[in-house]
Amino acid sequence: MNILVTGAKGFAGRNIVENLKCIRDGKNRTRPGLSVGEIYEYDLDSTPEDLDAYCAKAGWVCHLAGVNRPKDPAEFRNGNFGFTSQLLDTLKKHSNKAPVMISSSVQATLSGRFGDSEYGRSKRDGEELMFAYGEETGAPVYVYRFPNLAGKWIRPNYNSAIGTFCNNIANDLPITVNDPKVELELLFIDDLIEELFDCMEGRPHRCEYDGVNPVPAENGRYCFCPVTHKATLGRIVELLETFRDQPKTLRMPSMPAGSFEKKLYSMFLSYLPKEKTIFDLKMNVDDRGSFTELLKTADCGQFSVNISKPGVTKGQHWHNTKWEFFIVVSGHGLIRERKIGKNEIREFEVSGDKIQAVHMLPGYAHSIINLSETENLVTLMWANEPFDPDRPDTFRELV
């Protein structure tokens, strides 16, 4: 089907358009039931003639265009109600009953701190216009009230605190936090896109509203994205500063699948300037070669790379509880292990031509020998815990 996206050059619009292209072009195959044809991108630089042509041919309308930070408050109604009216009138002109999704805002609830919001009222009027259009034409309408949006490409220093924080901390610019205890509800763009695809496949999540909170309801009037995250400004800034310092500390906080931390880190990275996209690692170099720590994680151990010169033996120690993987990625080597107090030696000949992982067992002295007379031996090493100089759990012992 052909899809019209209004506000196509905005934050949400850009993300949605590029992901629709991935489905259209067969790059994203996770939605086999979703067929995307032409993608009509409508924005401020488009013409009324463009809108007319798009409304004549669209099989689905994703209405994201709106005004959220005008110079004159009167622009709220023109942008959030006026253009919606123009869009729906154009669809009616062509007798096009394609489904229409509209991006509204939680401020349209006019509840709590949003009770006197000019922006919220303009969004509420746009919602009601959409519902009336659906009743009049029979076209399916899907009204989404989004909380604070987050994710890559969001414009900093505009209307997004989290976008500003990511940009400024990534670029060593100052930020202002008046109250670190203020909590934000955040909807990341990738979760929004997945919900939009669900909606296009006829499986939107529906709800009613209890104040500002969506309450799932099978036949609810509204739609909502079921995956959002809540975090205080203080927690957000704390994490962003940890991400900023990672090239120095090499430490990465815990990031479970689907977690707020994982999504925030992805967003933060999108704001890195060129000079911060690459950074030096401390190489511990001696006449035997080098050892370089790559990454230390909160719950997934430490990653390092070891380079041994020809004929060099490294290791010759053992651990009580620490365990490791040695993975030779280049060169030709011999790994040897001996249980403490025993004489039997286990040997493993390894090569970058056949990449294998070898366990370094707790309670076993171990070493790695470069068997080549001309080539360096390059080994990726993983330990189950970051190295702690105060409790190294590493004891010298010849194999």
Side-chain angles (χ1 to χ4, degrees):
M1 63 182 168
N2 299 328
I3 299 172
L4 166 58
V5 180
T6 70
K9 293 183 179 179
F11 159 63
R14 286 179 62 201
N15 276 277
I16 289 170
V17 165
E18 293 305 320
N19 278 273
L20 286 170
K21 288 178 182 178
C22 286
I23 290 180
R24 179 196 65 190
D25 300 340
K27 299 173 184 177
N28 180 350
R29 300 177 183 176
T30 64
R31 298 281 179 163
L34 186 57
S35 176
V36 177
E38 294 293 327
I39 303 171
Y40 305 127
E41 301 178 42
Y42 184 90
D43 211 274
L44 290 174
D45 57 355
S46 302
T47 67
E49 291 74 22
D50 290 332
L51 183 64
D52 188 76
Y54 298 159
C55 286
K57 296 181 287 186
W60 182 279
V61 180
C62 183
H63 180 31
L64 304 171
V67 174
N68 53 34
R69 196 171 182 178
K71 295 180 180 179
D72 183 349
E75 295 178 36
F76 278 135
R77 184 166 181 82
N78 292 335
N80 297 328
F81 179 85
F83 178 70
T84 298
S85 179
Q86 180 184 356
L87 170 67
L88 299 180
D89 285 345
T90 308
L91 289 168
K92 285 192 286 187
K93 170 186 172 182
H94 293 285
S95 301
N96 187 342
K97 297 182 180 181
V100 183
M101 168 269 188
I102 184 173
S103 62
S104 186
S105 166
V106 68
Q107 293 194 38
T109 60
L110 301 179
S111 297
R113 62 190 180 94
F114 304 131
D116 190 31
S117 166
E118 188 73 31
Y119 173 71
R121 285 194 291 271
S122 69
K123 282 294 191 180
R124 171 72 72 92
D125 290 345
E127 291 178 357
E128 294 304 322
L129 188 65
M130 188 66 65
F131 287 128
Y133 168 80
E135 292 177 2
E136 176 187 349
T137 64
V141 297
Y142 305 98
V143 176
Y144 282 88
R145 289 175 166 174
F146 295 147
N148 298 283
L149 296 182
K152 64 184 184 300
W153 305 339
I154 203 166
R155 179 179 171 184
N157 302 303
Y158 182 58
N159 69 332
S160 167
I162 193 169
T164 300
F165 290 168
C166 283
N167 176 77
N168 288 18
I169 291 175
N171 289 277
D172 296 322
L173 298 172
I175 63 169
T176 300
V177 181
N178 294 321
D179 185 356
K181 295 180 182 178
V182 169
E183 185 178 70
L184 297 182
E185 181 180 10
L186 297 163
L187 169 58
F188 282 89
I189 189 63
D190 298 304
D191 295 319
L192 188 162
I193 290 170
E194 291 303 313
E195 172 60 25
L196 176 62
F197 290 167
D198 284 346
C199 187
M200 288 181 172
E201 291 179 339
R203 299 180 288 108
H205 291 84
R206 291 195 171 273
C207 71
E208 298 292 349
Y209 273 85
D210 179 9
V212 299
N213 300 310
V215 179
E218 184 175 352
N219 297 310
R221 191 182 194 212
Y222 300 92
C223 298
F224 76 111
C225 296
V227 180
T228 62
H229 300 269
K230 292 183 178 181
T232 64
L233 293 178
R235 174 60 175 161
I236 292 170
V237 171
E238 178 187 15
L239 281 169
L240 292 176
E241 291 176 342
T242 299
F243 300 156
R244 177 199 60 200
D245 296 340
Q246 190 272 331
K248 297 177 182 178
T249 66
L250 300 182
R251 295 190 179 277
M252 190 71 67
S254 178
M255 295 187 187
S259 67
F260 170 71
E261 292 79 5
K262 182 175 183 290
K263 295 172 186 178
L264 183 64
Y265 186 58
S266 178
M267 179 180 179
F268 170 78
L269 289 177
S270 71
Y271 291 90
L272 284 182
K274 179 181 178 180
E275 62 271 18
K276 287 193 174 185
T277 306
I278 184 171
F279 58 93
D280 294 333
L281 294 168
K282 181 185 177 183
M283 297 179 65
N284 300 288
V285 182
D286 58 25
D287 57 1
R288 301 174 301 158
S290 66
F291 177 80
T292 305
E293 295 177 321
L294 303 179
L295 182 67
K296 301 176 181 180
T297 70
D299 51 11
C300 294
Q302 173 174 317
F303 299 83
S304 308
V305 62
N306 183 77
I307 299 177
S308 300
K309 292 183 178 180
V312 163
T313 298
K314 284 191 174 183
Q316 306 285 35
H317 59 241
W318 65 282
H319 314 292
N320 276 308
T321 57
K322 181 185 295 184
W323 69 90
E324 301 167 295
F325 281 125
F326 284 9
I327 304 169
V328 168
V329 295
S330 180
H332 180 206
L334 179 68
I335 294 173
R336 308 176 79 224
E337 299 187 60
R338 177 181 59 80
K339 190 173 184 179
I340 298 300
K342 302 293 182 180
N343 295 322
E344 179 185 354
I345 296 176
R346 301 179 180 184
E347 294 188 338
F348 306 93
E349 191 170 348
V350 288
S351 167
D353 294 332
K354 182 182 180 181
I355 296 180
Q356 298 173 294
V358 182
H359 284 286
M360 299 300 107
L361 307 176
Y364 279 70
H366 49 270
S367 65
I368 182 166
I369 305 168
N370 187 348
L371 297 178
S372 173
E373 297 180 355
T374 58
E375 296 182 6
N376 285 340
L377 180 69
V378 182
T379 307
L380 177 65
M381 296 179 171
W382 174 85
N384 70 297
E385 59 189 36
F387 179 74
D388 181 354
D390 295 326
R391 296 180 63 86
D393 188 18
T394 301
F395 309 101
R396 179 73 175 171
E397 178 85 14
L398 296 179
V399 175

